[in-house]
């Protein structure tokens, strides 16, 4: 896989991650800053590290599966592994400016 192909896949991954929402928060998980790593391997496998705003998020399993299924559906992606990580601990500074505005924090 070329660097250009990887970049296109990474851009598509960001696009689909922006369609995933925690049912309790009206901002997508990417703009919330919950995605820590997107790594596309040469063989088409994708490794994602993500967290949640709270370690006890009641929708965690649903969100993790939604992420995996949506990323797996991207052309060129062979397999997606979504790792739930708690380090670094998420805080509001990880959100995009648009997310902070949407949530009334700015």
């Amino acid at each position: 896989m070329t660097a250009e192909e990887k970049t296109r896949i990474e851009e598509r991954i960001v696009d689909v991650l922006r369609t995933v929402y925690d049912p309790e928060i009206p901002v997508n998980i990417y703009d919330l800053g919950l995605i820590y790593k997107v790594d596309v391997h040469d063989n088409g496998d994708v490794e994602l590290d993500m967290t949640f705003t709270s370690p006890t998020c009641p929708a965690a399993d649903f969100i993790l599966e939604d992420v995996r299924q949506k990323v797996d559906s991207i052309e060129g992606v062979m397999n997606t592994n979504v790792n739930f990580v708690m380090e670094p601990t998420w805080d509001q500074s990880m959100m995009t400016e648009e997310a902070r505005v949407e949530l009334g924090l700015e």
Side-chain angles (χ1 to χ4, degrees), residues 12-30:
R12 288 188 207 126
I13 290 170
V14 170
D15 289 343
V16 300
L17 291 175
R18 285 194 162 119
T19 70
V20 178
Y21 289 80
D22 180 320
E24 298 177 347
I25 304 172
V27 175
N28 68 74
I29 64 169
Y30 191 83

Side-chain angles (χ1 to χ4, degrees), residues 6-51:
K6 281 184 178 184
T7 299
R8 276 198 306 269
I9 289 173
E10 288 169 359
E11 289 169 353
R12 288 188 207 126
I13 290 170
V14 170
D15 289 343
V16 300
L17 291 175
R18 285 194 162 119
T19 70
V20 178
Y21 289 80
D22 180 320
E24 298 177 347
I25 304 172
V27 175
N28 68 74
I29 64 169
Y30 191 83
D31 290 335
L32 279 173
L34 301 181
I35 303 299
Y36 288 169
K37 178 181 85 170
V38 176
D39 191 11
V40 179
H41 300 281
D42 288 336
N43 65 355
D45 287 350
V46 174
E47 189 89 20
L48 295 173
D49 285 355
M50 70 171 292
T51 194

Side-chain angles (χ1 to χ4, degrees), residues 25-88:
I25 304 172
V27 175
N28 68 74
I29 64 169
Y30 191 83
D31 290 335
L32 279 173
L34 301 181
I35 303 299
Y36 288 169
K37 178 181 85 170
V38 176
D39 191 11
V40 179
H41 300 281
D42 288 336
N43 65 355
D45 287 350
V46 174
E47 189 89 20
L48 295 173
D49 285 355
M50 70 171 292
T51 194
F52 293 99
T53 58
S54 166
T56 59
C57 175
D61 290 340
F62 167 79
I63 295 169
L64 289 168
E65 184 60 18
D66 195 25
V67 167
R68 190 193 60 73
Q69 286 181 1
K70 287 182 176 181
V71 174
D72 268 351
S73 74
I74 296 171
E75 184 179 340
V77 172
M78 303 310 289
N79 183 51
T80 304
N81 185 36
V82 183
N83 301 306
F84 171 56
V85 298
M86 292 303 297
E87 294 294 325

